[in-house]
Amino acid sequence: NKRGFSGLAGGYRHWKCLDINMNCNLFKLMGEHAYWWTSNEYSGWDAHYRGLNHSTKGLSSHHYTKLFGFSVRLVRDLN
């Protein structure tokens, strides 16, 4: 995009899939949504995230339990 960021829609891992006995797909919404954790913690159990939605082309921002498997983007300050 204009800012040089290319984010792939990697979906997420639902927290219920942490139990190997659960019969579920490991990743949801691959190719449709992208979610990244921010460095801001909301509480001991939750953290803030940013998300992109393929269909609405919108940016979302909220908090979820840290048990969700969102992507992590590393940013380096060149100054």
Side-chain angles (χ1 to χ4, degrees):
N1 68 13
K2 294 178 184 178
R3 299 190 190 274
F5 174 71
S6 296
L8 298 176
Y12 68 93
R13 186 203 67 235
H14 196 279
W15 67 270
K16 290 183 180 179
C17 293
L18 291 174
D19 182 351
I20 61 172
N21 296 316
M22 288 291 296
N23 184 14
C24 64
N25 294 325
L26 288 180
F27 293 92
K28 309 282 187 186
L29 300 174
M30 288 181 68
E32 299 176 34
H33 296 259
Y35 300 96
W36 294 271
W37 290 118
T38 71
S39 59
N40 300 323
E41 187 176 51
Y42 180 78
S43 69
W45 287 97
D46 291 8
H48 290 277
Y49 77 90
R50 298 290 185 265
L52 292 174
N53 182 324
H54 172 64
S55 60
T56 64
K57 296 180 176 56
L59 177 68
S60 58
S61 176
H62 200 52
H63 61 87
Y64 276 129
T65 174
K66 296 176 192 176
L67 296 176
F68 271 91
F70 291 166
S71 299
V72 176
R73 180 173 183 238
L74 301 177
V75 178
R76 185 175 79 178
D77 187 357
L78 297 176
N79 293 324

